[in-house]
Amino acid sequence: MAPTPARNTSTRVHVVSDVHGNARDLARAGEGADALICLGDLVLFLDYADHSRGIFPDLFGVANADRIVELRTARRFAEAREFGARLWADVTGARSKAQLIEGAVRKQYAELFAAFPTPTYATYGNVDVPPLWPEYARPGTTVLDGERVEIGGRVFGFVGGGLYSPMRTPYEISDEEYAAKIEAVGEVDVLCTHIPPQVPDLVYDTVARRFERGSTALLEAIRRTRPRYALFGHVHQPLARRMRIGATECVNVGHFASTGRPWVLEW
């Protein structure tokens, strides 16, 4: 009797980024996959498409959310910060601004981390609060930042956070610190980051009408180490969602908060 041919097996990974409070779809994002990868931005501070959603309108109301979005979209960042400071001065009393924000973030994290399937591999976005993650990451969720992991025989590298910007979001770091994390990851098959490489078509947001911050160190690493894929999010409505840089397919995996659909990688 002839031997039974070996059955072809494959690995399927679902990738999400910019979850921004969408726990309902996150709970289904791993269906049919061997693993889920999350590239950060779990927290929803302010929804630019729906100003009634998020920590900011919960505290200050929709009208004030409309105003701060208007100022930020016009790149009037100093005015936006002054406006925000006046609002915070009116609500802080026995509880500080930091306490109010942390309480709201904790509420979101409790729901979002509970929605992660097993296994999940996650890194931070620029609006996340890394010191809180160990309290909410359950067994089956692996948090990586400047680290590598093997999934289905391929090596994945993870670098979280964003770079300093006028938005002053919670997890922004210096270019030097970010470059050091990229260097620590080294050569991998799939390079997973929150922010994109510094390429104009990948960092320009067509709705916000501004260039977000991408990483030059990430771009240089892609050219030097030639991973199969470079996966990222951060820019919600990019001019280009994917492009090749040398041998590497660079992919913005999408604004999960609005689409509710993961990007699929299968091999």
Side-chain angles (χ1 to χ4, degrees):
M1 179 182 296
T4 302
R7 184 173 61 89
N8 290 331
T9 60
S10 64
T11 300
R12 181 183 176 99
V13 171
H14 290 179
V15 189
V16 301
S17 186
D18 299 86
V19 175
H20 294 301
N22 189 350
R24 181 191 62 187
D25 290 322
L26 186 62
R28 300 192 293 263
E31 291 179 357
D34 296 289
L36 177 72
I37 288 175
C38 179
L39 303 181
D41 272 9
L42 298 181
V43 172
L44 178 61
F45 191 76
L46 177 58
D47 189 334
Y48 279 61
D50 180 354
H51 303 170
S52 68
R53 298 181 65 244
I55 295 171
F56 190 94
D58 287 348
L59 289 170
F60 304 118
V62 176
N64 286 321
D66 290 342
R67 178 58 176 162
I68 205 160
V69 169
E70 178 187 0
L71 291 171
R72 288 178 175 177
T73 302
R75 302 186 63 80
R76 293 157 61 184
F77 296 115
E79 289 180 65
R81 284 193 292 272
E82 291 171 5
F83 178 68
R86 291 196 300 271
L87 293 175
W88 281 110
D90 290 338
V91 301
T92 54
R95 301 182 68 196
S96 68
K97 172 182 176 180
Q99 288 173 321
L100 288 168
I101 292 177
E102 182 177 318
V105 170
R106 284 181 176 278
K107 183 178 179 181
Q108 291 188 14
Y109 276 167
E111 184 178 11
L112 290 159
F113 276 91
F116 277 143
T118 297
T120 291
Y121 302 91
T123 196
Y124 315 112
N126 60 293
V127 303
D128 285 312
V129 184
L132 296 182
W133 280 37
E135 296 183 39
Y136 296 94
R138 304 176 302 170
T141 297
T142 303
V143 180
L144 301 139
D145 189 16
E147 299 163 284
R148 301 147 56 103
V149 69
E150 184 177 315
I151 305 171
R154 288 189 177 179
V155 178
F156 287 68
F158 291 79
V159 175
L163 298 173
Y164 291 138
S165 76
M167 303 296 285
R168 299 184 181 179
T169 49
Y171 189 41
E172 295 180 352
I173 61 177
S174 69
D175 289 73
E176 293 76 16
E177 186 178 351
Y178 194 89
K181 292 196 294 183
I182 291 287
E183 186 67 24
V185 165
E187 294 187 12
V188 295
D189 296 305
V190 184
L191 186 50
C192 300
T193 60
H194 178 67
I195 62 174
Q198 182 57 42
V199 177
D201 284 2
L202 297 177
V203 300
Y204 186 74
D205 191 304
T206 59
V207 174
R209 301 193 303 278
R210 65 170 180 257
F211 290 98
E212 303 290 354
R213 286 218 61 192
S215 170
T216 301
L218 173 57
L219 176 60
E220 292 172 351
I222 290 169
R223 288 172 171 162
R224 184 178 69 254
T225 65
R226 299 162 61 89
R228 295 171 185 257
Y229 292 92
L231 309 180
F232 48 86
H234 186 56
V235 182
H236 294 176
Q237 300 91 13
L239 193 61
R241 295 199 173 273
R242 61 193 302 163
M243 67 168 54
R244 293 197 72 84
I245 297 177
T248 302
E249 186 74 13
C250 299
V251 182
N252 184 317
V253 300
H255 182 212
F256 186 77
S258 62
T259 69
R261 297 188 303 273
W263 187 80
V264 178
L265 177 62
E266 193 167 13
W267 66 95

